Amino acid sequence: MGLSFAGKSIIAICAVPGLLADAFASGQPKEITLWRHQTGTSEMRASADQVARFNQSQQQWKVVVESLPQASYTESITAAALARQLPCILGVDQPTVPNFAWSGFLQPLFPLLAPSTYQGLSVGGRGMYQNQLYSVGPFDVALTLFTRYSILERFQIRVPTLSSPWTKEEFDTALQKLKASGEFSYPLDINAAWGDEWPSYGWAPLMQSFGADLIDRATYVEAEGILNSPEAVEFADWLSQLVEFGMIDRRPADSQGFINGRTAIHYTGSWSVRDYQQAFGEDLAILPVPDMGQGPVIGGGSWQWAITTSCKVPDGAAAFIDFVMQPEEIALFSKSTGFIPTKSSAAELTANYNIEGQWRVFYEFTKRYTVNRPATPAYAIISASFAKAMRDTLDGGEPQEELDMAVDNIERSIYNNRGFGFSLPQE
């Protein structure tokens, strides 16, 4: 869920109009440059295969890929934009889309894309800003609770379902039973040592389930009374009590607590399912996130495709995006990576996510529970401020004070940036 590209000089090769004319006259396809972040082997291979299939499917366009290190990807995009060297197609992390759009890096996808490309997409498959579509994505992941059926049975804990997840009271009671047993070092793992985007992606949905949020989504300029509301403070108090009462390890040495039996429940993402199934087989329980009072919530939005304002051949870029967003292509990508399809028509073409699939529950989570991160250029400062407030709270900070400081930091940044494209309140 991170962003970035490492410091590497980037040369964009979106062709000069004269060269394009010569290439077209000679019958050669027009080159379209695509940037994406470097990631795992299976995803990189699946993406390369898609590009090859697109290039072989027609003669007008040829997509040329440049993969860049993830650690400094956002900075590289910004530098290339200032130098007017952006490619035609960008792989973008969905939460960054509003900032890139506000900065003038991206162009709206309507009416470039075929309607079938964006119709029927899940919430997490769209990158929006100011009610316009700027990116689309073929896959998503889902937050979940992993445990073992044998543990639930041994401690007489109800197995929650999609239609009846654990309430806050049930969740707390389950943790207390597991703690009292002495069988586990900690009953719960919430990836407390993870940094970067995890607190906002992983913990903000729990806060939203309490009834709070990161910002007022009606205006996108006010966090006062939202991020430091009584509901937000109640969530932060609950989080701090997880540490105080020994329910979680504040600084776990690794992420292997569940698989090694040190913890009973792991709150994490669907990306762990293959490892856990290999370890536990049919004893693995994949559970919905708890309802902390206002319904279950999970985050949404992963890596997506966008077209830059620098692109001289946006119709060619759109043709590529239309191609990779076909149900058949999404299904092939899901088969290679295990990621959750963002279209129901694609899910039905997969063994894992069709209606009888072993991981169908993850698709249902994304369909029923997803709330995207705030669609505002201010998201980077919102995420960083919330993450700091949560880490400081876990380290013993007073929840109301930490959240008040986060609100001040967010609203100061929004004011200094003249609303990030949204209207500031009248003085």
Side-chain angles (χ1 to χ4, degrees), residues 409-427:
N409 198 39
I410 292 165
E411 292 193 343
R412 185 183 310 113
S413 178
I414 292 172
Y415 179 82
N416 289 341
N417 286 278
R418 300 180 180 180
F420 284 108
F422 295 96
S423 298
L424 290 168
Q426 297 298 314
E427 295 293 336

Side-chain angles (χ1 to χ4, degrees), residues 24-100:
F24 187 72
S26 66
Q28 296 298 314
K30 300 177 186 179
E31 285 196 350
I32 304 171
T33 308
L34 177 153
W35 286 0
R36 62 156 298 130
H37 71 296
Q38 295 171 353
T39 185
T41 302
S42 62
E43 186 178 345
M44 294 298 288
R45 186 183 299 119
S47 183
D49 289 346
Q50 283 191 324
V51 171
R53 287 193 294 272
F54 172 74
N55 289 340
Q56 293 166 6
S57 71
Q58 43 73 52
Q59 300 299 315
Q60 189 173 3
W61 317 105
K62 180 182 179 181
V63 171
V64 178
V65 178
E66 184 162 0
S67 59
L68 305 170
Q70 184 172 333
S72 58
Y73 192 52
T74 300
E75 291 85 345
S76 295
I77 291 173
T78 302
L82 293 174
R84 298 184 178 180
Q85 290 186 326
L86 282 172
C88 280
I89 304 171
L90 272 181
V92 290
D93 198 7
Q94 193 256 14
T96 67
V97 168
N99 195 287
F100 289 161

Side-chain angles (χ1 to χ4, degrees), residues 322-350:
D322 285 337
F323 179 85
V324 300
M325 292 299 294
Q326 296 176 98
E328 295 79 7
E329 284 295 319
I330 295 175
L332 285 171
F333 193 86
S334 175
K335 179 180 178 181
S336 297
T337 63
F339 294 142
I340 305 166
T342 51
K343 288 183 177 179
S344 61
S345 54
E348 288 305 318
L349 298 177
T350 67

